[in-house]
Amino acid sequence: MTALVSIGVAGALGPDAIARIAPEVEAAGLHALWVNDTPDGDALAALAAAARTTATLTLATGVVPVDRRRVAEIARAARHLPHDRLVLGIGSGHARAGALARVRDAVGQLREHTRARVIVGALGPKMRTLAARDADGPLLSWLTPAAARMQAADAHREGGHAHVALYVRTALDPAARSRLEEETDRYAGFPNYAANFARLDIAAADTVLTPDGFATGIRDYRDAVDEVVLRAITPGDDVADYAAFIEQAARA
C-alpha cells in the first residue's frame, strides 16, 4: 500500500492560527489536518475554524479523550462541522480503569449522533481490536515502520474496512531537532508509553522522522499503513513555521 499523507498540529495553537494553517495543508494537496485535543487546546473549536477556510480538506481530531470530554459534548460540537470530511478521533484518556468499555460506549454513541467517521487512538492490542471491529480503525502512534506494518495487518484482519492511521513526530528543519528530542524524551517517560516501547522492544527515538532521515523514512511508513500523519515539530509556533513545514513535506 502507499499511504495518504496528512499533517498534525496541536490544538494549543488556537483556532485563529489553525484557520490560517489549514488552507496551506489543502493547497499542498495533503490529505487531512489532524488537531490534538488538550486541556489548553480545543480540537473541535480549531477544526470549526479550519472548516471555514477550506473546502475539501479532511478534518480530524487526534484524539479527544473521553474521560475528560463527555460524548454528548463532542457530538454537540461536531454538529457544526462538515460530517462528510470529519474524522472524530477519540481515546480513553488517562483513566485506565474501564477504558475499553468507556471507549466502546463512546464509539456507539457517536455512531448514533454523527455521520462522521470514528477513529480510536490505540496502543495496546485490545484497544486496537476494538478500533478495528467497532470503529473505523485505529490511530497508532510512536511506532517503527516494521511495528506499524504488523499492527496495520492485524487491524485489517480484525476489520476489513479498518483505516489505519499513524502519527509520526517529524522535524524537517534542523533548527527543530532539539524540540523533537524533547518531545521524544517526554513521551518515553510516560509509564504507558514506556511500557509499550518495552513490550515492542523499540526505542522512542527510532519512531520519529528527522531532517536527514525523512526521505527514506516516509517511504517506509507509507508502505506500512493507510495514512501517515506527520505530527509537525517546528522551530517555533508561528504560522510561518508550519507553512514552511507543510511546503517541505509536500515537496518531499
Side-chain angles (χ1 to χ4, degrees), residues 33-147:
L33 175 64
W34 290 72
V35 179
N36 290 27
D37 189 270
T38 60
D40 60 349
D42 185 334
L44 290 160
L47 291 183
R52 292 191 289 271
T53 59
T54 59
T56 61
L57 184 68
T58 296
L59 305 169
T61 61
V63 294
V64 180
V66 296
D67 66 339
R68 180 167 57 78
R69 299 189 67 173
R70 295 173 58 236
V71 177
E73 177 195 346
I74 298 169
R76 188 163 53 248
R79 227 177 269 150
H80 306 291
L81 289 160
H83 285 197
D84 59 328
R85 53 190 181 110
L86 176 63
V87 176
L88 287 173
I90 61 170
S92 62
H94 294 296
R96 309 283 16 126
L100 285 169
R102 185 166 57 252
V103 171
R104 184 177 289 110
D105 181 62
V107 170
Q109 289 186 58
L110 289 172
R111 293 278 202 219
E112 290 179 14
H113 297 293
T114 77
R115 292 179 289 103
R117 287 167 288 164
V118 182
I119 295 284
V120 172
L123 278 182
K126 291 181 180 179
M127 193 65 79
R128 295 198 305 270
T129 296
L130 184 158
R133 290 180 178 177
D134 297 354
D136 291 300
L139 174 61
L140 309 176
S141 188
W142 295 101
L143 295 174
T144 61

Side-chain angles (χ1 to χ4, degrees), residues 146-226:
R149 187 176 295 106
M150 288 189 291
Q151 293 191 10
D154 289 343
H156 291 145
R157 279 193 296 271
E158 292 290 349
H161 69 285
H163 177 86
V164 181
L166 171 69
Y167 253 48
V168 182
R169 268 67 179 181
T170 304
L172 296 178
D173 186 328
R177 189 184 290 273
S178 61
R179 292 187 82 184
L180 178 62
E181 291 171 353
E182 290 169 7
E183 175 91 342
T184 303
D185 290 344
R186 187 163 64 90
Y187 271 83
F190 292 152
N192 55 334
Y193 283 96
N196 195 55
F197 291 136
R199 181 167 55 242
L200 297 173
D201 193 25
I202 61 177
D206 295 332
T207 71
V208 302
L209 290 174
T210 60
D212 50 348
F214 180 76
T216 299
I218 188 62
R219 285 197 297 270
D220 291 342
Y221 277 117
R222 291 189 75 191
D223 287 339
V225 296
D226 301 310

